[in-house]
Every structure is written in C-alpha cells, then in structure tokens.
C-alpha cells in the first residue's frame, strides 16, 4: 500500500437481524482507525443473501451506529462518492466484473442441479473426504455453455481455485496466515438468481470503495484466501486485513450466546446501558492502551487506538465489569442529563418528579432500567406475592409492624422531605419498643410500600409516594396477610 493512500475503513453488516455487540466492537475499532488517520469510515449494507433478510434490520443497523455515536462518513442513507452503499443496488456493477473473470478463465459457469451436487457431496462424505465441488462443469466447451444458456438451464458462476498452491496473507492481528488451495472449494460467486454471493460482492465493493483497511471478526478468516485470489485475478491491491478475536461468555464455555444475556447492541441500550459506558467497555475488550488506564472517551480512544495492541486471544465479555462502567458513567452525569436519559425508561414521570427521583437512585444505579424498575412503585399499582412479607418474620409480627406503620403515617397530614428525620425517629422508636430487628422491620415495610425487596432508600421515598398511596399500600399488605 502506498504511503499517500488515505485510510478508509468500513463496516459491512448483513441485515439478517439485529447487530451483535461484537459487530459494534468491530465497528468501533474500524471507526477509530479511520478517524485517527483523518480518513473515512464507511457503512455498507451487505444484503445479497436475500433468503436471510429480516425486514427493517438494515435501518435498525444504521440507527444503532448513530445511537452509539459511531457516525459513518458514507452510507446507504447519507450517500457518498462511491455509492450506492447497499449491495442489491449495485447488481449492474457486479455484472461487469463477473464478465471479466469469465473471460480471463478465473470463473466458470456451472449448470449442475442441486440433486447432482447433493449426490456428489454424499459420496465424498461417505469416502470421508472434505465435500467440495467436483468441477464437473469446469471444462465445458464454449458451445456447450452457449447451448445451455440458450436453453435457459439455470446456472451459477464459480471461481476457479488454483491447485496445489499455498495462499498466504498477512493478518494485522495474527501475522502470516497460510491456506492450501486444495482445501478450498470452487466458491459460487454468482447465484442462479443472478445475485452475487458475499465473497464476490465484498471484494468488488471494497476495491471500488477504495477501502484501505478491513477489520472484521475472525469467522471470516477461512474466506479470506478466496478473497485474496479474487484480488489477484483482478490485479487489484489487497487492502490490509485484521481479524478480531471472538467474544467469550464468562459464565459458559464458548462464544457469547443470547441464552445467557443480551447480545445485541440495541438490547444493551434498551436495558439501560449508556452508549459512552458501553463503548468504553468495548474499547478494552480486545485492545489495551499499554498501561492500566481504563477510562476513555471516544475522542481519546480515537487518539490512542493502535492495531498493534489488539489482543490475539479471545476476549471475555465480563458483564460485571460492564455494570461497573455503566455505574461510573451514570454518576458522572449531571442530574439534568440523567433526567433526559431516564425519561424514556420512566415515561410516566414528569421532569420535576425525575429531578426528585434521581438523588434517591443515582448513587447505586447500575442501569437506567434498573432505576426505572426500582421506582415503578411510585407510578403503578402493586402486584406482588404476599409471601414476600413473611420472609423474615411470622404473619402476626408482620401485621403488627404494618399496623404500627399505619399509625405513624397517620400522624402526618402530608409527607414532606422535611418530615423524613421525624419519620425515621418514629420508626426507630417503634422498632425498639417492640424489640424488632431493624432489618426485619424494614424488609416488611419495604415490601409493603414497593412490592419488592430492592428499592431506593425507603423512608426518603415516602414524600414522593405521598400519604394516600403509602397508606393504601400498607393496607394492601395487611389484606395479603389476613387469613
Ligand atoms: N457481511 C458480512 C457480515 O455480515 C461482513 C463480513 C466482512 O466484514 O467482510 O458480517
């Protein structure tokens, strides 16, 4: 690659569903690399696999990149000098290039039926051979091909893989990677519906879009030798390529799986993680700054990022660490910022109420959603299992605790912030007079008021709930205990 060439990196997601958090990490690194070098970050939608398309997924993908502030410089919705940026809108372009490969003999028509391919595969498998196309159509004469085309016999176009060759490429993360060409299949480049496969479209597009750096996940390593050959067939310069390691689940062997928690980028936002906390977490999941610094804004990361410090080992997606980052970022926000962030999670609350909720939850908040869950008792009727009231004490004691609590609340005309100290003293005295344990009393009281054992500071929450609802909830608890 010549020194003067500008940096252009890309993300090329397929709209087959919501994008995985690992894809967002790849995007983050590709973004950083381009921006660090005053280059461009391109977003291209790779939708050639029409069978796996999920309606709306492309738009959702673009939105996720925007929501995480990884704004691309060129893309389907904003255009750019190398558009269109959606592969099915580029079919004419691929036509031209497949013709070139057919003419140079690096690609050939294959008219084999699916039945025949299945048979070949079964025979190879039975003989314990790696299933590969047997090149039945490789040496068809021009006339035979023309006849088949005239007779409208369906066909695909395959690439011709050379025999007995070692294909070598330099991976920016893993170093030199070698493949034996005999292990590669004559890859289909254009399907029978005329649409190219990923392997063909990705090479043509990365070249035409002048991509200088490809950063992608390591599931594509085994495809790369085919791409290397295509670059060679066309006489194009191979971009620099980095394959990133997978993300492992800390609790179960293997890759992150949706069985054990959120895995889609959008899901994390919906779960109440902040984009900047999430990005900071992802920065360190596969890259390290060379020292023990952990906190980076996107701008700082762009400055610091270096491919040399990408990890060669798979990274563990430690959800506890993510929670730690999220809590940290939440506490760095001003109350006004938090009002805006919490609003979508607590739509029932006015800004004024949110301002009052924030001091109650800010210190211990892990996610925005958790804060919403812990404060929903302020807005919703309670619905909980009465057994929660007797986890620590028997039913009679719980009733007594609730009755005494009602008596205390009844001593206040309205509950104001200035009453909190007074309320606390009265609760304390009752607890002492009755020889209750503080923890037992507040467990019963907390469940009665909120329907849950995990809440913001409970006495401090009462002015927000107000007398009427407080009394209503205490009476509801009593009724749950009555035989
Ligand atoms: N379309 C591929 C995907 O969905 C992109 C692979 C690549 O980056 O080359 O992951």
């Amino acid at each position: 690659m010549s020194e003067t060439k500008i940096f252009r990196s890309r993300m090329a997601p397929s709209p087959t569903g919501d994008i995985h958090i690992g894809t967002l990490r790849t995007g983050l690194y590709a973004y950083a690399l381009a921006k660090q070098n005053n280059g461009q970050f391109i977003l291209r939608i790779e939708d050639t696999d029409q069978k796996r398309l999920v309606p709306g997924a492309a738009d959702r993908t673009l939105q996720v990149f925007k929501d995480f502030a990884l704004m691309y410089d060129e893309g389907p919705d904003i255009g750019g000098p190398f558009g269109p940026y959606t592969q099915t809108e580029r079919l004419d372009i691929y036509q031209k290039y497949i013709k070139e490969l057919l003419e140079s003999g690096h690609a050939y028509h294959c008219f084999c039926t699916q039945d025949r391919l299945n048979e070949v595969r079964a025979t190879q498998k039975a003989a314990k051979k790696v299933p590969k196309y047997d090149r039945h159509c490789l040496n068809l004469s021009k006339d035979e091909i023309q006849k088949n085309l005239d007779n409208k016999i369906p066909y695909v176009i395959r690439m011709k893989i050379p025999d007995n060759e070692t294909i070598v490429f330099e991976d920016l993360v893993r170093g030199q990677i070698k493949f034996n060409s005999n292990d590669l299949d004559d890859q289909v480049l254009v399907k029978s519906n005329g649409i190219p496969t990923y392997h063909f479209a990705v090479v043509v597009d990365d070249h035409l879009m002048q991509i200088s750096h490809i950063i992608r996940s390591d599931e594509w390593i085994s495809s790369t030798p085919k791409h290397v050959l295509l670059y060679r067939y066309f006489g194009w310069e191979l971009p620099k390529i980095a394959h990133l390691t997978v993300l492992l689940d800390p609790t179960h062997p293997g890759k992150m799986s949706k069985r054990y928690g959120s895995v889609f980028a959008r899901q994390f936002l919906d779960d109440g993680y902040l984009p900047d906390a999430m990005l900071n977490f992802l920065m360190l999941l596969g890259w390290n700054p060379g020292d023990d610094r952990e906190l980076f804004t996107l701008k700082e990361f762009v400055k610091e990022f270096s491919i040399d410090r990408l990890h060669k080992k798979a990274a563990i997606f430690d959800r506890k660490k993510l929670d730690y980052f999220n809590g940290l970022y939440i506490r760095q926000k001003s109350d006004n910022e938090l009002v805006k962030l919490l609003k979508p999670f607590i739509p029932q609350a006015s800004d004024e109420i949110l301002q009052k909720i924030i001091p109650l939850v800010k210190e211990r908040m892990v996610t925005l959603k958790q804060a919403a869950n812990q404060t929903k008792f302020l807005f919703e009727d309670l619905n909980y299992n009465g057994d929660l009231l007797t986890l620590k004490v028997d039913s009679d004691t719980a009733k007594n605790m609730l009755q005494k609590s009602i008596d205390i609340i009844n001593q206040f005309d309205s509950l104001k912030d200035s009453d909190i100290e007074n309320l606390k003293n009265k609760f304390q005295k009752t607890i002492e007079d009755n020889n209750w344990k503080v923890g037992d009393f507040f467990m019963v009281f907390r469940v009665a008021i909120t329907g849950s054992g995990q809440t913001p500071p409970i006495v401090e929450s009462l002015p927000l709930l107000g007398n009427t609802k407080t009394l209503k909830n205490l009476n509801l608890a009593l009724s749950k205990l009555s035989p």
Side-chain angles (χ1 to χ4, degrees):
M1 180 155 306
S2 60
E3 288 305 315
T4 51
K5 201 161 183 178
I6 50 164
F7 275 70
R8 287 174 58 84
S9 68
R10 55 47 162 197
M11 257 331 267
S14 297
T16 53
D18 281 337
I19 71 160
H20 194 274
I21 195 67
T23 310
L24 192 75
R25 179 189 66 157
T26 310
L28 169 65
Y29 295 177
Y31 172 91
L33 185 74
K35 295 290 144 187
Q36 180 175 75
N37 294 286
N38 297 317
Q40 291 91 40
F41 173 55
I42 287 94
L43 201 141
R44 179 175 71 230
I45 293 291
E46 299 204 324
D47 59 346
T48 55
D49 192 350
Q50 296 280 301
K51 278 193 224 118
R52 293 179 58 223
L53 279 194
V54 171
D59 286 343
R60 286 207 300 278
T61 295
L62 302 181
Q63 193 56 45
V64 162
F65 277 89
K66 290 176 188 162
D67 288 347
F68 277 95
L70 297 179
M71 193 54 204
Y72 38 91
D73 301 293
E74 298 165 27
D77 54 341
I78 56 170
F82 302 95
Y85 292 88
T86 298
Q87 288 187 324
T88 49
E89 292 169 23
R90 301 173 59 79
L91 298 180
D92 291 351
I93 299 174
Y94 307 125
Q95 285 283 337
K96 168 173 177 238
Y97 290 98
I98 198 66
K99 250 195 195 147
E100 233 182 78
L101 288 187
L102 283 168
E103 276 161 20
S104 61
H106 290 304
Y108 60 95
H109 291 87
C110 167
F111 297 93
C112 290
T113 61
Q114 196 53 50
D115 283 349
R116 179 173 186 280
L117 295 175
N118 291 345
E119 264 170 43
V120 171
R121 190 167 274 266
T123 318
Q124 289 170 332
K125 269 194 160 169
K128 302 226 179 314
K129 285 194 188 145
V130 183
K132 253 170 63 166
Y133 179 56
D134 64 352
R135 295 186 165 165
H136 181 73
C137 293
L138 176 61
N139 295 316
L140 294 181
S141 69
K142 270 198 172 151
D143 287 349
E144 280 172 298
I145 294 171
Q146 196 51 52
K147 210 172 87 203
N148 285 344
L149 293 177
D150 292 344
N151 288 333
K152 305 241 171 313
I153 299 185
Y155 65 92
V156 299
I157 299 174
R158 292 181 182 273
M159 75 185 280
K160 165 88 176 64
I161 303 276
D163 295 323
N164 306 321
E165 209 190 284
T166 306
I167 300 161
V168 185
F169 64 90
E170 199 63 32
D171 184 280
L172 294 177
V173 178
R174 290 152 199 270
Q176 202 173 68
I177 299 185
K178 291 182 185 172
F179 280 87
N180 183 335
S181 67
N182 294 346
D183 295 333
L184 303 178
D185 202 359
D186 277 2
Q187 175 67 47
V188 173
L189 298 179
V190 178
K191 293 174 277 189
S192 55
N193 60 5
I195 296 182
T197 57
Y198 154 73
H199 302 282
F200 187 52
V202 77
V203 168
V204 171
D205 288 346
D206 281 339
H207 173 73
L208 293 181
M209 294 180 183
Q210 298 185 6
I211 299 303
S212 64
H213 289 75
I214 294 172
I215 301 186
R216 62 182 168 206
S217 77
D218 64 2
E219 66 186 298
W220 300 104
I221 286 189
S222 59
S223 304
T224 305
K226 298 174 191 170
H227 303 177
V228 169
L229 285 172
L230 288 171
Y231 277 94
R232 190 208 289 170
Y233 294 164
F234 282 118
W236 293 339
E237 188 178 356
L238 187 69
K240 297 203 185 291
I241 304 181
H243 288 101
L244 300 180
T245 56
V246 289
L247 299 181
L248 298 178
D249 196 289
T251 54
H252 296 80
K255 282 193 203 177
M256 272 178 88
S257 151
K258 56 184 165 203
R259 266 178 297 162
Y260 310 124
S262 300
V263 295
F264 300 113
R266 160 74 47 212
Q267 242 178 326
F268 285 96
L269 296 181
D270 293 346
D271 288 346
Y273 289 94
L274 306 186
D276 39 3
M278 198 74 218
L279 287 183
N280 196 157
F281 173 71
L282 292 176
M283 289 166 197
L284 303 173
L285 212 63
W287 171 86
N288 71 79
D291 52 36
D292 55 8
R293 276 174 305 161
E294 283 200 319
L295 296 181
F296 295 90
T297 61
L298 183 56
K299 223 170 152 188
E300 287 162 348
F301 179 63
V302 164
K303 237 164 102 192
E304 297 282 335
F305 177 73
S306 122
I307 286 200
D308 300 344
R309 288 201 302 270
L310 283 176
H311 296 169
K312 294 182 174 44
K313 276 204 200 136
I316 294 176
F317 194 94
D318 181 351
R319 291 176 196 268
K320 286 206 190 88
K321 179 120 192 210
L322 172 60
D323 285 350
Y324 161 77
F325 271 115
N326 209 48
L328 218 59
Y329 273 80
I330 282 175
R331 280 175 275 292
Q332 280 176 0
K333 301 280 176 208
S334 69
D335 286 6
N336 283 339
E337 284 172 311
L338 277 179
V339 166
K340 281 202 206 102
L341 290 165
L342 269 176
K343 190 127 191 117
F345 290 85
I346 316 182
Q348 313 94 314
S350 64
D351 286 8
E352 202 188 333
I353 298 289
L354 285 172
Q355 286 283 4
K356 291 186 178 164
I357 286 178
I358 284 163
L360 295 177
V361 291
K362 190 170 178 179
E363 273 324 299
R364 279 189 287 169
M365 202 194 311
V366 174
T367 65
L368 301 168
K369 191 172 175 181
Q370 176 216 37
N373 282 337
Q374 290 191 356
T375 51
K376 66 173 188 249
F377 71 93
L378 295 170
F379 311 98
E380 292 173 11
D381 286 337
L382 300 188
N383 179 12
Y384 64 96
N385 184 335
D387 291 349
L388 281 181
L389 293 161
T390 49
L391 289 181
K392 298 213 165 181
V393 295
D394 61 33
S395 177
D396 282 344
T397 312
K399 269 192 221 168
N400 199 3
M401 289 171 164
L402 293 168
Q403 194 51 60
K404 294 269 172 10
S405 302
I406 291 172
D407 294 344
I408 292 175
I409 302 296
N410 272 329
Q411 295 169 30
F412 293 82
D413 291 338
S414 68
L415 295 172
K416 300 181 290 298
D417 285 342
S418 53
D419 293 327
I420 289 172
E421 263 329 291
N422 204 355
L423 269 168
K424 279 188 177 170
N425 290 337
K426 286 182 191 290
F427 283 129
Q428 191 57 38
K429 182 157 187 327
T430 306
I431 291 167
E432 280 165 18
D433 289 351
N434 289 280
N435 266 327
W436 292 327
K437 285 193 190 140
V438 178
D440 291 354
F441 173 81
F442 277 110
M443 184 65 179
V444 174
F445 186 73
R446 191 180 295 280
V447 169
I449 298 297
T450 68
S452 150
Q454 289 194 338
T455 68
I458 193 65
V459 182
E460 285 80 348
S461 302
L462 296 180
L464 264 179
L465 189 62
N467 289 51
T468 315
K469 279 198 194 162
T470 302
L471 288 170
K472 186 177 155 204
N473 290 1
L474 290 168
N475 281 309
L476 173 76
L478 267 183
S479 71
K480 284 182 190 270
L481 291 169
S482 299

